[in-house]
Amino acid sequence: MRAYLHAEWTKLRTAPSTVPLLATIILLTVAGGAAASAVVSCAARGCGYDPARIALFGVQVGQSVVAVLAVLTVAGEYGTGMVRLTLTAMPHRIKVLAAKAIVLAGLTLAAGSAAVLTAMLVARPILLDRGFPAGLLTLTSGPVLRAVFGSVLYLTLIALLSLGIATAVRDSAAAVGAVLGLLHLFPSVILMIADAGWQRLAWQISPMNAGLAVQATTGLSSLPLTPWAGLGVPAAWAAAALLGGGLLLRARDA
Amino acid sequence: MSPLTLRSGRQGGELGRLTRAEWTKFRSVRGWMAGMTTAALVIVLLGLLSASGDHASCAGAGGVEIACPAPPVGPDGTAVSDRFFFVHRQLSGDGVITARLTSMTGQIRKPDVTPGRRNVVAGVVPWAKTGVMIKDGTRQGSPYAAVMMTGAHGVRMQHDFTHDVAGLPGGVSERSPRWLRLTRSGDTLTGYESADGTRWTRIGTATPAGLPRTVRIGVFAASPGDLTVMRGDLGGSGAAVRFAEATGVLDQVTVRGDTSGDWRDDDVGATVDPDGSVHHPGRASRSGGAFSVTGVGDIAPAVEGPTAERPLGGAPAALVLVIVVSVMFATAEYRHGLIRLTLLAGPRRGLTLPAKALALGLVTFAAALPAIAVTFAAGGRILRANGNAVLPVSLPTEARVVAGLAALFALAAVLALALGALLRSSVAAVITAVVAIVVPHVVATTSILPDSAARWLLRVTPAAGFAVQQTVPAYPHVLSHDAPSAGFYPLPPWGGLAVAAGYAALALGLAAFRLHRRDA
């Protein structure tokens, strides 16, 4: 397994697109949060906005680039034919996928932590300036810590979900389309449904809606799922995608 | 024939030939045809499924659940809200009504401070209205014209629900009363206002549609509910409307002309609760020429309610598929080296991309148009059959929504194609196109962003094109929750589509420039 990990790490590290993509993830996450923070303002009595969600709004933009990074780890190999070499050198296919998942998860955790922490630090003074109470933005308070670490985990789960889908689909453009389609399908569907019960159900199975609930620090009682249970939804999707991708990888010709 | 026309004629023929060649390429790849078909099916299935699950019912007499009654419609077919208190008498032919308004007061129910205890404060909402009116009877939706004082928008002259002309700003009090006058001469009604009853300023004229010779003339009051916008639980924002009423005190009311009958009081459009009592009744009292009228409701176009375009909400998801196929249509040329053959067969590089864009745009339009038309028509029928009082839409608007949304699909396809040709990487092109078109729409309509930011996203990104599907416009004289999450777009329909077209043209131009300059 060490050899597998080492090989996957070398491939991912040296791919020309990796460093620019990681930089883009951080840039979009920070810029998105800063921009969202700059346009909200907190009136004297009750803001109606969750400052942590505003500060971490960029996660919603940065996740698209995380998906690209993850898709390219697998589908990039199919695009160049490198995958045949990989599977010749490392014939245990599930181990290949596991190694890819571990390396990718590690890299996303690192980049996601940098992105989310920087976003929080950049957005904090802007939000305080816009009238939000400092108490809601203390970095060491439980809900804010949950939002920060939950967002990092969310990005990692999106990476794993994308990896699983890319392993199944094999074409990079189709895989990116499938991931983005899956993520953005549910919010549109929720908007189409008028019935509150169906709306909550669609919310509860939507990887993006439920997953981002982990960022909530206020109004938790109105959410259909608790923050950590919400994060379990993208985790379930990622597990299903990896399982499906792994089975297909084992069954199919490369 | 001059050489110039000869050349342009040949160019047209060549574009047609190249477009046909591109269509052959497109239809011979099974995945692309399947992708387009699936996109069309996604629109239809999501639309019909969501419409089927969307049931509504309203409380009828005796607490029985009934299908929600359709809203009344105005003279031009727009759904309207037509509820106010009217003190009126009959007028035949030409005539004039004059009144001096000395006070406008009211009360508003605010969110409860102590749960269960009604929190009512004194005040008037911005579009509360009281004044003088000429109307074709008391049927809801019948033509009218009125000169009125409003809560915060000064004196206005309005007619037939959708028309609003501003008079002078300012409020009203005992010490500075406002005189209002409405005259009828033939089919033309003219509104005047004055501060002293002697020097009159004309506000505007109106010709209400089909106003008969014999009409009702009198004084009225109405007050739309108080609107509170709050953050939605599941993203976006929502609105709550709470009871408000307005009272106008009008003295020195005179009517000149061929009047007959006594003054009559009518609570126009009042709804009756299951127990038989009128829901939030209005009232009036008069002594001599002085009237005090209290009304609840509004005389304005209805903008709240299920809209006809709701079943089309699957469009953003279907667009992702169209984008993937369109990008591949461009990048496959490079991946397989087909581009060299393409350029050999049609060496005029200026035509290569236009031909590709034309073929792809037409294919996408042809795939999207029937899917959208079926979803819009059948989805609307299902919604109505399920008891939803869908706001009515005129035929030209329906045609605009269907053709415009199909055009947006074609434009998105061309934009994605151009990005594919420009970036020559499928992943980069797909992600750029999705982030440009789909993500702004999803974020603006469903996320935690404030409405102002959501509006900007729908002005400056290609997602502005979704404005073409909006069937009910936002009216400046109706205070409503006109946020993107409620289906209101900041740009007019064709303006929004023009933004999307601009992006597609820009990307196509850049891609053509790059194709021209670079080696294939």
Side-chain angles (χ1 to χ4, degrees):
Chain A
M1 191 65 199
R2 273 185 73 102
Y4 280 61
L5 283 173
H6 189 240
E8 289 304 327
W9 167 240
T10 309
K11 272 190 282 184
L12 189 56
R13 186 171 54 84
T14 54
S17 57
T18 304
V19 173
L21 283 176
L22 291 176
T24 316
I25 293 171
I26 298 176
L27 185 77
L28 283 182
T29 309
V30 175
S37 305
V39 296
V40 297
S41 57
C42 187
R45 189 179 63 85
C47 303
Y49 294 111
D50 186 335
R53 295 198 82 158
I54 296 280
L56 299 176
F57 172 75
V59 169
Q60 221 164 321
V61 191
Q63 64 177 354
S64 305
V65 188
V66 170
V68 173
L69 177 74
V71 162
L72 286 181
T73 357
V74 186
E77 291 204 21
Y78 282 96
T80 55
M82 169 85 163
V83 65
R84 285 186 283 276
L85 199 62
T86 300
L87 295 179
T88 312
M90 304 188 288
H92 198 297
R93 295 190 174 190
I94 296 300
K95 274 194 185 173
V96 171
L97 185 61
K100 277 187 189 298
I102 293 169
V103 168
L104 179 71
L107 203 59
T108 318
L109 273 175
S113 305
V116 169
L117 281 173
T118 316
M120 204 68 201
L121 291 176
V122 168
R124 206 181 112 86
I126 305 178
L127 286 171
L128 292 179
D129 195 44
R130 308 291 297 181
F132 282 89
L136 286 174
L137 284 159
T138 320
L139 264 178
T140 48
S141 77
V144 175
L145 275 179
R146 181 180 60 213
V148 167
F149 286 110
S151 297
V152 177
L153 290 178
Y154 173 79
L155 286 175
T156 311
L157 291 172
I158 294 298
L160 293 176
L161 167 67
S162 311
L163 184 74
I165 289 182
T167 313
V169 175
R170 298 196 278 196
D171 180 274
S172 50
V176 166
V179 174
L180 295 183
L182 175 71
L183 290 179
H184 294 106
L185 169 74
F186 288 97
S188 316
V189 168
I190 290 174
L191 205 64
M192 293 169 77
I193 309 174
D195 183 83
W198 286 104
Q199 225 175 17
R200 286 173 86 84
L201 181 72
W203 192 97
Q204 284 165 344
I205 59 171
S206 159
M208 181 154 98
N209 293 94
L212 286 175
V214 84
Q215 294 182 342
T217 56
T218 61
L220 295 182
S221 57
S222 64
L223 291 174
L225 288 175
T226 62
W228 289 119
L231 198 63
V233 176
W237 278 96
L242 281 176
L243 185 70
L247 290 177
L248 281 172
L249 180 67
R250 211 173 58 173
R252 276 193 312 212
D253 220 357
Chain B
M1 193 184 282
S2 76
L4 194 71
T5 51
L6 193 72
R7 198 183 306 138
S8 68
R10 200 184 294 153
Q11 195 167 354
E14 192 171 340
L15 184 65
R17 188 175 62 78
L18 289 176
T19 308
R20 229 178 6 259
E22 293 299 336
W23 158 239
T24 309
K25 279 187 217 168
F26 189 92
R27 78 180 151 81
S28 50
V29 176
R30 206 187 299 151
W32 297 346
M33 291 298 276
M36 275 299 172
T37 318
T38 315
L41 286 177
V42 165
I43 302 176
V44 177
L45 287 178
L46 281 180
L48 298 190
L49 276 176
S50 70
S52 311
D54 200 350
H55 292 267
S57 62
C58 291
V64 183
E65 302 238 318
I66 53 163
C68 292
V73 291
D76 62 353
T78 321
V80 299
S81 138
D82 199 7
R83 172 155 195 220
F84 59 101
F85 204 89
F86 196 19
V87 183
H88 56 101
R89 61 194 307 194
Q90 183 174 302
L91 171 74
S92 291
D94 297 349
V96 181
I97 180 167
T98 308
R100 185 178 80 155
L101 182 72
T102 57
S103 105
M104 183 176 186
T105 53
Q107 48 176 335
I108 303 171
R109 182 172 181 194
K110 289 288 180 190
D112 294 353
V113 183
T114 7
R117 192 141 125 242
R118 286 170 64 90
N119 175 23
V120 178
V121 299
V124 283
V125 297
W127 284 105
K129 31 187 85 100
T130 179
V132 293
M133 178 188 282
I134 289 177
K135 186 172 169 79
D136 173 15
T138 55
R139 183 178 56 81
Q140 281 186 295
S142 59
Y144 75 95
V147 176
M148 66 197 72
M149 182 73 208
T150 57
H153 298 278
V155 171
R156 320 287 293 196
M157 178 171 181
Q158 298 185 349
H159 75 279
D160 287 1
F161 306 95
T162 52
H163 304 274
D164 171 53
V165 179
L168 295 172
V172 62
S173 67
E174 293 267 0
R175 293 175 56 188
S176 59
R178 307 284 290 254
W179 290 77
L180 308 170
R181 174 176 282 175
L182 184 59
T183 69
R184 175 177 194 181
S185 165
D187 286 333
T188 308
L189 279 71
T190 312
Y192 300 88
E193 65 170 306
S194 165
D196 52 15
T198 51
R199 278 165 310 173
W200 290 89
T201 314
R202 204 180 74 139
I203 307 169
T205 59
T207 315
L211 195 68
R213 216 183 102 73
T214 301
V215 293
R216 308 300 301 185
I217 190 165
V219 296
F220 76 97
S223 173
D226 184 48
L227 185 83
T228 316
V229 175
M230 65 233 153
R231 315 299 313 161
D233 288 348
L234 307 183
S237 53
V241 179
R242 287 187 188 77
F243 163 79
E245 67 173 24
T247 303
V249 177
L250 302 113
D251 61 6
Q252 303 191 29
V253 177
T254 56
V255 180
R256 273 182 310 179
D258 177 13
T259 56
S260 58
D262 237 352
W263 287 102
R264 254 175 47 198
D265 292 355
D266 266 298
D267 209 345
V268 176
T271 47
V272 178
D273 280 336
D275 65 0
S277 64
V278 172
H279 189 68
H280 292 317
R283 58 195 174 273
S285 63
R286 85 179 156 272
S287 59
F291 293 75
S292 169
V293 197
T294 301
V296 180
D298 202 7
I299 315 163
V303 292
E304 307 279 338
T307 51
E309 72 266 28
R310 194 193 273 171
L312 298 176
L319 262 186
V320 175
L321 267 169
V322 170
I323 286 170
V324 171
V325 170
S326 306
V327 165
M328 286 180 169
F329 187 47
T331 54
E333 294 255 0
Y334 291 96
R335 188 190 290 183
H336 305 298
L338 180 66
I339 184 73
R340 286 185 282 277
L341 201 62
T342 305
L343 293 177
L344 275 176
R348 297 173 60 159
R349 290 195 176 188
L351 287 183
T352 314
L353 266 178
K356 256 190 131 53
L358 194 59
L360 178 68
L362 289 174
V363 169
T364 314
F365 188 82
L369 189 72
I372 294 166
V374 165
T375 312
F376 190 66
R381 286 182 77 104
I382 297 173
L383 279 179
R384 284 188 190 89
N386 285 349
N388 296 283
V390 179
L391 296 176
V393 179
S394 69
L395 199 62
T397 307
E398 287 183 340
R400 182 253 293 163
V401 170
V402 172
L405 195 58
L408 179 65
F409 269 77
L411 289 172
V414 171
L415 177 60
L417 171 90
L419 286 171
L422 195 61
L423 305 172
R424 295 194 185 180
S425 145
S426 344
V427 178
V430 167
I431 198 88
T432 312
V434 171
V435 168
I437 306 170
V438 180
V439 172
H441 187 260
V442 169
V443 162
T445 50
T446 65
S447 83
I448 41 132
L449 277 191
D451 292 340
S452 58
R455 285 196 190 97
W456 273 110
L457 274 181
L458 292 176
R459 274 190 197 109
V460 300
T461 66
F466 281 101
V468 83
Q469 62 175 344
Q470 182 181 333
T471 56
V472 177
Y475 295 91
H477 64 287
V478 181
L479 187 63
S480 64
H481 176 228
D482 54 350
S485 54
F488 290 92
Y489 292 85
L491 291 181
W494 294 116
L497 200 64
V499 171
Y503 275 102
L506 179 71
L508 199 61
L510 286 175
F513 179 73
R514 191 147 183 221
L515 180 71
H516 203 70
R517 299 293 296 269
R518 242 173 53 160
D519 219 357

